[in-house]
Amino acid sequence: MASHPSQPILAVAGEDKSLCLFSLDHKANAPLVPPLHFKDATLRSVCFARAGEELLLGARKPHFYAYHLQTGQLTQFRGGGAQVGGGEATTQHMFLSPGGGMLAMRGSSGYVHLGDTHTKHMHSAVKCEGPAAAGTFLSDKLLAVATQDKIFLY
């Protein structure tokens, strides 16, 4: 689930392989458009990018989707993986930097893969000691938490 950065819009990625967009008017909270269905992926993460112009959608797959809100165009992009530093990445755990310019996704073997939200190119990876359990950005720094209760700041 994600809220739009400047409009009363809520995006919900469902276990039923659908994306729903709702207008939050505190009354009906009606759907903005019919649900968008993904036949090959159960959506696990959703976040608004590019000042709310698009949604980035992740699943337990090696790729992620960008959905442009104005045009309705859906594009598939390759996630992280061996080409950016090792470990396999699924896109089910994605998060953005506060300015929205950087995308991070949790990978396997302790890797957190990093990319650019404008180009959708995954360009590097950092490694934690042990599997990465969670991550977020603090200002311009990446904070990753490993399953052994260790915190890494990059």
Side-chain angles (χ1 to χ4, degrees), residues 64-90:
F64 63 99
Y65 300 94
Y67 177 70
H68 195 279
L69 293 173
Q70 296 296 324
T71 65
Q73 181 180 4
L74 183 70
T75 309
Q76 181 177 309
F77 295 93
R78 176 89 174 113
Q83 74 273 14
V84 294
E88 284 301 312
T90 64

Side-chain angles (χ1 to χ4, degrees), residues 10-62:
L10 180 69
V12 178
E15 289 287 321
D16 62 351
K17 301 181 179 183
S18 68
L19 169 69
C20 298
L21 297 173
F22 296 95
S23 173
L24 300 179
D25 62 3
H26 303 291
K27 294 177 186 164
N29 297 325
L32 288 174
V33 294
L36 182 62
H37 292 280
F38 295 77
K39 63 182 177 182
D40 70 333
T42 300
L43 300 176
R44 300 285 183 183
S45 63
V46 58
C47 47
F48 281 94
R50 300 183 63 167
E53 291 179 11
E54 67 183 8
L55 282 165
L56 300 181
L57 307 159
R60 195 174 290 158
K61 300 278 185 182

Side-chain angles (χ1 to χ4, degrees), residues 93-114:
H93 301 286
M94 297 191 311
F95 49 99
L96 298 178
S97 63
M102 187 174 288
L103 166 69
M105 57 184 69
R106 194 177 79 190
S108 64
S109 304
Y111 284 95
V112 178
H113 302 268
L114 303 170

